[in-house]
Amino acid sequence: MARDIFSSIQVPQVDDRPLWDVVFAIYGYPALLLAHRLKIFPLLAQNSHTLPEICKALNIAQRPAEAILTTATALGFLSLQEGRYSLTPVSKEYLLEDSPNYFGFFWDLMIDNYQVSTYAGLEKAALTDSAQAYGGGDIFKSHEEQIELLQRFTCGMHSISMTPALVWPQVMDLSQHRMMLDIGGGSGAHSIGAALRWPDLQAYILDFSQVCEIAQNYITRYKLQDRVKTCEINIWRDQWPAADLHFFSNMFHDWLPEKCHFLMAKSFNSLESGGRIVIHEMLYNDEKTGPFAAAAFSMMMLGWTEGKQYSGQELSAMLREIGFEQIQIQKAFGYYSIVSGRKP
Amino acid sequence: MFNLGNMLNLGSTEPIIGRASTLVECSTKDLFKYLGEDLFQNYPKWSPEVQELEQLTPGPVQLGTLGRQVRLDMGRRSESRFKIFTFEPGVRLVLAGVSDPFRCTYELQDMNLEKSTKLTFSFELLELLVVMRPFEGLVRSAIKDGAERTVQNIKRLVEAEKSMESSAT
């Protein structure tokens, strides 16, 4: 039987490029992390450069340099004209450290924890259904090491949060709200973004005390000390301050539905009547056929947390079950969406 | 994002939840009647900590019905109001505290063509009073044990009632 199949081999009816794309993702995308760490983007910030000039400046050979630069160009991070490489709008906006929208700290976090995204790391996470990052909670690290890790982590989170934090407050009308709780708010990027857009809004960032210390630096950087404050609490067991707006960004995907349900119920109980809950996440579509960004984010959550991405329908159903009304799903910046509901 | 609390041991990220399940030899319809429709008659039976129970809104038990209870838990007397937050006959009943931060969920699942029902009960304490924080471990353990006791009490009561009904006929 097998002999017949092989002897009658024909050209397949479908292309094999999707299979190559899997392989190329393994090699292609890390080229950008390499370009970032080799500081190719800051090198090109002032002037465009030729390949030999880049090799000389970075002290690398032409063969690897050409491979990295061509990948970066193919993916839209560089342009090549008349033999000279230069930055594109996306790399100028997100890959230069002096930009307020700098994304590079998050890439650093990915590089520093590359073992989580390796085949072995993901295989272990999948087979054991447990997060692999930081060894699953490394209590043997010293206090200083923990603080250093926390700073790098919060910096990485701020790096991916500040840009979307400027957009979702434009999508929603927050003029009726006075006090926002940024629950598990980390650096406070979203409180900062909301406060910048809505001058009458005040915000509390709710997080562990060590994180709040770091958030204070960001609040000061944006000169919002009068309106954005931190509140050192354990969001799971402590009472939340009174507020009429509860905001969660990249929080629910850390947990399975049971814990999301708990947080939503706590939000419902704590909100004033007429208050609103806003959930900022990358959502699966309702059919769970994609998009790829949400599916890949779910793989990242597999390696880092006990959670997963949700669809708008799933989050809406949870909110409705808790008692929220006027549930809305709106597109926000990039891959992000917001799901919101009002307490009757 | 990334569950920082767990990764860096900043503090517990475990909500205070007690959950337990059992199989009750009874249809989902009958079990829901016992738990939901006849809540104000039966609640003190499966939860002996309830000292006083009063229905505050008139009419049959339904979504939005309000109640008041006085409980005695480990010697501590407390009074609270609750509201029926979910009332899905044969499927789910949720009571949530109006003045106090708790939620009780009773979920029913038909297991054997309406002959037996899987009952899952969960109790969520949405926040811990400051005075209780030193005893968080004890509270967690009491809630866990309480959930197990609750489903076993309901099973015993419902099955005994059903057996009495069948012996009477």
Side-chain angles (χ1 to χ4, degrees), chain A residues 172 177 244-246 264 267-269 271-279 312 315-330 338-344, chain B residues 63-64 83-86:
Chain A
M172 301 189 74
H177 295 285
D244 58 3
L245 179 65
H246 288 173
M264 282 183 191
S267 166
F268 190 89
N269 268 33
L271 269 175
E272 299 168 8
S273 178
R276 199 143 47 148
I277 183 172
V278 178
I279 299 167
L315 290 175
S316 302
M318 284 189 218
L319 288 172
R320 204 169 293 116
E321 190 179 322
I322 297 289
F324 284 101
E325 294 177 350
Q326 298 176 32
I327 294 159
Q328 283 187 307
I329 302 170
Q330 292 164 283
I338 44 176
V339 183
S340 62
R342 188 177 287 277
K343 179 175 175 176
Chain B
L63 189 68
K83 185 175 172 183
I84 308 279
F85 257 73
T86 308

XYZ file of all heavy atoms in Angstrom, chain A residues 172 177 244-246 264 267-269 271-279 312 315-330 338-344, chain B residues 63-64 83-86:
375
model
N -12.873 55.682 24.630
C -13.986 55.731 25.577
C -14.196 57.154 26.089
O -13.239 57.903 26.243
C -13.689 54.855 26.797
C -13.445 53.420 26.460
S -13.369 52.442 27.950
C -15.074 52.384 28.409
N -16.444 60.037 34.720
C -15.749 59.310 35.791
C -14.772 60.212 36.536
O -14.148 61.092 35.940
C -15.023 58.095 35.210
C -15.973 57.074 34.659
N -16.713 56.239 35.453
C -16.332 56.788 33.388
C -17.484 55.465 34.704
N -17.276 55.775 33.437
N -15.196 54.867 40.662
C -16.288 54.646 39.715
C -15.781 54.092 38.386
O -16.523 54.004 37.416
C -17.097 55.937 39.497
C -16.235 57.084 39.000
O -15.033 56.872 38.774
O -16.766 58.191 38.835
N -14.487 53.738 38.325
C -13.922 53.148 37.109
C -12.839 52.144 37.509
O -11.893 52.518 38.213
C -13.317 54.265 36.229
C -12.651 53.841 34.928
C -13.670 53.247 33.959
C -11.975 55.048 34.266
N -13.019 50.916 37.105
C -12.008 49.885 37.379
C -11.365 49.467 36.064
O -12.071 49.101 35.120
C -12.649 48.650 38.033
C -13.059 48.872 39.443
N -13.780 47.950 40.162
C -12.836 49.912 40.297
C -13.993 48.407 41.388
N -13.438 49.594 41.495
N -13.672 39.907 38.800
C -14.836 40.633 38.278
C -15.885 40.811 39.373
O -16.507 41.868 39.489
C -15.470 39.865 37.124
C -14.735 40.006 35.823
S -15.660 39.103 34.563
C -14.484 39.100 33.229
N -14.764 43.403 41.683
C -14.953 44.710 41.052
C -16.416 45.134 41.162
O -16.715 46.274 41.533
C -14.522 44.618 39.578
O -14.968 45.721 38.856
N -17.311 44.208 40.848
C -18.747 44.521 40.891
C -19.161 44.957 42.293
O -19.865 45.950 42.466
C -19.546 43.290 40.449
C -21.007 43.565 40.235
C -21.476 43.978 38.996
C -21.915 43.414 41.270
C -22.818 44.247 38.792
C -23.264 43.680 41.083
C -23.720 44.096 39.836
N -18.700 44.210 43.277
C -19.056 44.527 44.673
C -18.505 45.874 45.103
O -19.130 46.591 45.875
C -18.484 43.464 45.613
C -19.476 42.364 45.851
O -20.259 42.041 44.971
N -19.459 41.774 47.027
N -17.459 48.499 43.056
C -17.809 49.676 42.253
C -19.054 50.376 42.781
O -19.959 49.735 43.318
C -18.099 49.262 40.818
C -16.971 49.250 39.795
C -17.497 48.690 38.476
C -16.372 50.623 39.574
N -19.099 51.673 42.566
C -20.331 52.417 42.851
C -21.349 52.062 41.774
O -20.976 51.663 40.672
C -20.050 53.925 42.746
C -19.010 54.432 43.708
C -18.566 55.844 43.364
O -19.173 56.476 42.479
O -17.609 56.306 43.990
N -22.625 52.274 42.090
C -23.657 52.054 41.090
C -23.414 53.033 39.929
O -23.145 54.208 40.153
C -25.023 52.298 41.726
O -26.003 52.141 40.758
N -23.479 52.508 38.705
C -23.179 53.349 37.537
C -21.705 53.310 37.167
O -21.306 53.836 36.122
N -20.901 52.686 38.011
C -19.468 52.585 37.746
C -19.180 51.614 36.621
O -20.016 50.797 36.251
N -17.990 51.709 36.085
C -17.668 50.920 34.903
C -16.401 50.086 35.107
O -15.456 50.513 35.752
C -17.460 51.877 33.726
C -17.582 51.192 32.406
C -18.251 52.013 31.334
N -17.793 53.376 31.206
C -17.766 54.013 30.035
N -18.132 53.397 28.941
N -17.391 55.283 29.966
N -16.416 48.900 34.516
C -15.220 48.055 34.472
C -14.709 48.075 33.033
O -15.504 48.018 32.092
C -15.535 46.607 34.946
C -14.266 45.741 34.977
C -16.586 45.932 34.078
C -14.460 44.362 35.616
N -13.393 48.199 32.885
C -12.790 48.211 31.547
C -11.669 47.173 31.525
O -10.772 47.202 32.376
C -12.211 49.607 31.200
C -11.549 49.582 29.829
C -13.305 50.662 31.245
N -11.749 46.271 30.566
C -10.743 45.206 30.439
C -10.014 45.397 29.112
O -10.644 45.433 28.061
C -11.427 43.822 30.487
C -12.154 43.638 31.819
C -10.417 42.715 30.262
C -13.099 42.449 31.825
N -13.727 38.110 23.166
C -14.633 39.140 23.672
C -15.916 38.514 24.181
O -16.481 38.963 25.193
N -15.297 37.028 27.730
C -15.232 38.047 28.784
C -16.601 38.689 28.988
O -17.005 38.951 30.130
C -14.181 39.110 28.436
C -12.728 38.639 28.493
C -11.793 39.741 28.009
C -12.318 38.219 29.902
N -17.331 38.905 27.888
C -18.670 39.499 28.007
C -19.589 38.588 28.810
O -20.369 39.063 29.656
C -19.299 39.711 26.628
O -18.492 40.523 25.858
N -19.511 37.284 28.529
C -20.371 36.334 29.243
C -20.061 36.353 30.736
O -20.963 36.322 31.577
C -20.187 34.936 28.676
N -18.759 36.428 31.072
C -18.383 36.474 32.499
C -18.944 37.741 33.136
O -19.478 37.706 34.243
C -16.856 36.488 32.652
C -16.177 35.164 32.416
S -14.429 35.335 32.892
C -13.638 34.364 31.639
N -18.805 38.865 32.435
C -19.282 40.140 32.992
C -20.791 40.103 33.197
O -21.309 40.549 34.226
C -18.930 41.297 32.042
C -17.463 41.694 31.976
C -17.240 42.713 30.865
C -16.991 42.285 33.298
N -21.489 39.538 32.199
C -22.953 39.472 32.277
C -23.371 38.597 33.458
O -24.285 38.933 34.199
C -23.495 38.906 30.960
C -24.929 39.298 30.681
C -25.339 38.962 29.262
N -24.632 39.748 28.272
C -23.802 39.270 27.356
N -23.570 37.981 27.289
N -23.210 40.052 26.488
N -22.683 37.487 33.626
C -23.017 36.564 34.708
C -22.856 37.238 36.072
O -23.629 37.008 36.998
C -22.113 35.337 34.617
C -22.528 34.216 35.528
C -21.618 33.010 35.378
O -21.197 32.713 34.252
O -21.319 32.388 36.396
N -21.842 38.081 36.179
C -21.591 38.782 37.446
C -22.683 39.827 37.710
O -22.993 40.139 38.849
C -20.213 39.493 37.392
C -19.075 38.498 37.248
C -19.988 40.406 38.584
C -18.796 37.669 38.435
N -23.264 40.370 36.646
C -24.310 41.378 36.838
C -24.064 42.677 36.095
O -24.872 43.596 36.171
N -22.923 42.769 35.382
C -22.653 43.992 34.629
C -23.608 44.103 33.444
O -24.055 43.093 32.894
C -21.201 44.005 34.118
C -20.195 44.312 35.187
C -19.459 43.292 35.785
C -19.990 45.616 35.616
C -18.531 43.558 36.781
C -19.061 45.892 36.609
C -18.337 44.869 37.188
N -23.902 45.330 33.073
C -24.798 45.597 31.939
C -24.088 46.512 30.940
O -22.973 46.955 31.187
C -26.082 46.268 32.437
C -26.910 45.351 33.321
C -28.152 46.020 33.873
O -28.272 47.255 33.729
O -28.993 45.307 34.450
N -24.773 46.788 29.839
C -24.241 47.668 28.774
C -22.830 47.244 28.375
O -21.912 48.080 28.305
C -24.252 49.125 29.224
C -25.638 49.663 29.512
C -25.594 51.087 30.057
O -24.721 51.876 29.728
N -26.546 51.402 30.917
N -22.673 45.957 28.130
C -21.342 45.435 27.814
C -20.979 45.788 26.366
O -21.783 45.612 25.454
C -21.299 43.919 28.074
C -21.454 43.689 29.577
C -20.009 43.294 27.565
C -21.924 42.330 29.955
N -19.778 46.297 26.205
C -19.334 46.724 24.872
C -17.937 46.185 24.595
O -17.105 46.092 25.506
C -19.225 48.250 24.826
C -20.550 48.966 24.699
C -20.302 50.450 24.480
O -19.579 51.074 25.250
N -20.889 50.993 23.421
N -17.693 45.863 23.326
C -16.338 45.473 22.902
C -15.912 46.494 21.845
O -16.633 46.724 20.889
C -16.325 44.056 22.303
C -16.858 43.045 23.318
C -14.917 43.669 21.850
C -17.108 41.670 22.745
N -14.757 47.113 22.078
C -14.293 48.123 21.126
C -12.832 47.875 20.772
O -12.044 47.410 21.599
C -14.421 49.524 21.761
C -15.852 49.966 21.976
C -15.930 51.150 22.930
O -15.811 50.970 24.148
N -16.118 52.339 22.400
N -10.855 46.673 23.997
C -11.369 46.868 25.354
C -12.770 46.277 25.455
O -13.567 46.383 24.532
C -11.369 48.352 25.800
C -11.903 49.244 24.691
C -10.023 48.788 26.277
C -12.024 50.689 25.110
N -13.001 45.638 26.584
C -14.329 45.108 26.892
C -14.774 45.859 28.144
O -14.029 45.911 29.128
C -14.280 43.593 27.181
C -15.684 43.051 27.425
C -13.616 42.846 26.027
N -15.942 46.472 28.084
C -16.377 47.258 29.246
C -17.810 46.915 29.622
O -18.571 46.398 28.799
C -16.257 48.757 28.953
O -17.105 49.103 27.884
N -18.149 47.177 30.859
C -19.506 46.944 31.343
C -19.822 47.922 32.457
O -18.901 48.478 33.087
N -21.112 48.149 32.676
C -21.527 49.118 33.688
C -22.279 48.412 34.806
O -23.084 47.520 34.547
C -22.427 50.168 33.040
C -22.757 51.339 33.947
C -23.591 52.356 33.191
N -22.819 53.093 32.206
C -22.074 54.162 32.480
N -22.014 54.628 33.720
N -21.408 54.787 31.542
N -22.003 48.800 36.045
C -22.763 48.248 37.174
C -24.096 48.994 37.274
O -24.093 50.228 37.316
C -21.976 48.419 38.474
C -22.715 47.881 39.684
C -21.857 47.947 40.934
C -22.634 47.520 42.158
N -21.818 47.491 43.369
N -25.220 48.262 37.264
C -26.517 48.968 37.299
C -26.711 49.743 38.607
O -26.136 49.420 39.613
C -27.546 47.859 37.166
C -26.820 46.578 37.288
C -25.349 46.823 37.244
N -34.603 35.895 40.618
C -33.488 36.812 40.421
C -33.785 38.134 41.125
O -34.857 38.710 40.934
C -33.317 37.053 38.911
C -32.072 37.805 38.483
C -30.825 36.964 38.729
C -32.168 38.187 37.017
N -32.882 38.581 41.956
C -33.065 39.868 42.628
C -33.666 39.769 44.021
O -33.694 40.769 44.749
N -28.344 38.847 48.065
C -29.246 39.011 46.927
C -29.048 37.819 46.000
O -27.929 37.308 45.877
C -28.850 40.304 46.205
C -29.736 40.698 45.063
C -29.242 42.065 44.554
C -29.925 42.484 43.298
N -29.408 43.752 42.790
N -30.149 37.379 45.366
C -30.012 36.309 44.374
C -29.485 36.947 43.091
O -30.196 37.728 42.452
C -31.367 35.616 44.079
C -32.042 35.153 45.363
C -31.194 34.490 43.065
C -31.550 33.873 45.939
N -28.266 36.620 42.740
C -27.632 37.234 41.577
C -27.846 36.414 40.310
O -27.867 36.951 39.213
C -26.134 37.420 41.824
C -25.798 38.827 42.152
C -26.128 39.353 43.383
C -25.176 39.638 41.226
C -25.842 40.667 43.690
C -24.893 40.955 41.519
C -25.229 41.468 42.756
N -27.951 35.113 40.468
C -28.228 34.241 39.324
C -29.270 33.232 39.764
O -29.130 32.637 40.841
C -26.946 33.509 38.860
O -25.926 34.471 38.661
C -27.176 32.733 37.573
